Amino acid sequence: MSVDLERRERIAILTLNRPDALNALSVEMLDDLDGHLNSLENDPEIRALVLTGAGERAFTAGADINHMREATPLEARQYARRGHAVTNRLENFPKPVIAAVNGYALGGGCELALACDIRLASEKAQFGLPEVNIGILPGWGGTQRMARATSPGFAKELIFTGRRVTADEARATGLANHVYPHDELMDRAVALAEEIATKPPWAIAAAKEVVNLALEGDLQGHLARELDAFALAFTTEDQREGMAAFFEKRTPEFRGR
Ligand code: CO8
């Protein structure tokens, strides 16, 4: 299993477990995560979830670039749809999901965290949408959810530059609710999940559903536009150059074609 599931009385801890690749999200991991969500959704004992990354360095460094490197636009769109399915599911999951961001949350990893209800960050956390550095754009909801969690201007700065933000900046911009010393993060996340698990589950599920509506404004329609724009990026030479440069550990040269 590349995503571990631990049940602790009324809460469940999901751990993305591929630390050698900074927990980059392969299709298998998305399938695993989905499978766990199936069992947790129908388990009346479980009332709140914590999502985190294995190892000391990453929550997750995003979608698996290996998987995208040679992708055709249609394959890229399919992979992006897979990510949309999981992020939409987390956002609409009938139990609260807390992201315990223990390191890098980049690209699809940041987008996964953005689909969670509450983000807690360790002092080592770094958030970012660095897709432009590899010749593409965010494709798992980041164009929409970063703007909604922070502001359109801040989202555009992050998306246009690909720069990473620290945990403190994440908290200041609304991207993270709280920042904790690295070694305390999981205890804090578990304590918050346990506190929420003492509340009435129906009221919590209903509140989540209604708060989500506060930011609605045709999210699904805008996500469909994101999918098409993401797939179109795979018609460009810049996408091939960006991803080749990543694995060759050099700076890409983007030519605008
Ligand atoms: N995919 C695949 N492998 C990865 C990824 C990734 N996203 N990130 C890191 N790795 C691998 C590296 O290749 C490396 O493997 P190896 O040891 O075999 O060389 C290992 O993890 C460790 O990484 P580094 O050596 O690069 O570690 P550093 O400490 O030097 O750097 C960084 C850490 C800064 C986090 C760096 O790894 C990095 O920039 N990673 C990529 C981050 C990124 O660009 N993420 C966005 C990916 S695109 C995306 O998520 C789009 C999502 C939406 C659409 C998806 C649908 C198609």
Side-chain angles (χ1 to χ4, degrees):
M1 277 292 197
S2 50
V3 180
D4 301 333
L5 168 61
E6 182 194 343
R7 284 180 165 80
R8 269 197 216 173
E9 300 187 356
R10 288 195 282 199
I11 73 161
I13 301 172
L14 290 160
T15 305
L16 306 166
N17 191 356
R18 194 188 168 200
D20 289 351
L22 301 179
N23 304 322
L25 294 159
S26 60
V27 175
E28 297 70 37
M29 287 170 82
L30 294 176
D31 287 345
D32 265 11
L33 186 54
D34 217 25
H36 290 318
L37 292 175
N38 284 339
S39 74
L40 295 170
E41 182 163 1
N42 298 312
D43 184 341
E45 297 299 313
I46 297 296
R47 295 182 175 193
L49 277 50
V50 174
L51 177 63
T52 194
E56 286 298 301
R57 300 192 59 211
F59 176 70
T60 150
D64 191 334
I65 301 171
N66 266 310
H67 197 71
M68 292 183 277
R69 202 171 166 181
E70 304 297 332
T72 64
L74 289 184
E75 288 164 346
R77 195 173 191 283
Q78 188 53 31
Y79 189 30
R81 270 174 65 89
R82 194 73 198 77
H84 274 201
V86 172
T87 45
N88 283 334
R89 184 153 190 212
L90 286 170
E91 188 170 67
N92 295 311
F93 202 68
K95 307 175 188 200
V97 186
I98 297 166
V101 181
N102 56 315
Y104 292 119
L106 302 178
C110 187
E111 294 171 297
L112 198 67
L114 281 165
C116 296
D117 299 301
I118 295 171
R119 285 163 292 285
L120 304 182
S122 108
E123 285 168 344
K124 288 190 187 171
Q126 290 192 39
F127 296 80
L129 292 171
E131 283 88 345
V132 290
N133 294 334
I134 53 170
I136 58 171
L137 62 145
W140 282 356
T143 60
Q144 303 305 303
R145 294 197 181 96
M146 182 61 84
R148 288 162 184 234
T150 62
S151 68
F154 188 69
K156 286 174 187 165
E157 180 191 329
L158 291 197
I159 292 170
F160 296 171
T161 63
R163 87 170 167 89
R164 300 199 290 261
V165 303
T166 62
D168 284 337
E169 192 176 0
R171 183 181 46 192
T173 53
L175 190 45
N177 290 46
H178 302 281
V179 180
Y180 297 116
H182 187 72
D183 294 340
E184 277 180 31
L185 175 69
M186 274 314 283
D187 288 347
R188 297 287 199 149
V190 165
L192 179 59
E194 284 173 342
E195 182 187 347
I196 294 170
T198 65
K199 311 293 183 196
W202 188 86
I204 296 288
K208 172 167 172 170
E209 214 177 303
V210 182
V211 174
N212 282 351
L213 291 177
L215 294 171
E216 215 9 273
D218 198 19
L219 175 64
Q220 293 308 317
H222 300 158
L223 287 173
R225 295 271 307 270
E226 183 191 79
L227 272 183
D228 290 341
F230 183 82
L232 268 181
F234 286 74
T235 63
T236 65
E237 284 174 24
D238 283 347
Q239 174 268 325
R240 292 291 195 263
E241 163 64 7
M243 293 190 185
F246 174 75
F247 289 111
E248 288 157 21
K249 301 191 189 288
R250 63 174 170 81
T251 305
E253 197 164 321
F254 294 125
R255 297 203 161 81
R257 54 177 194 252

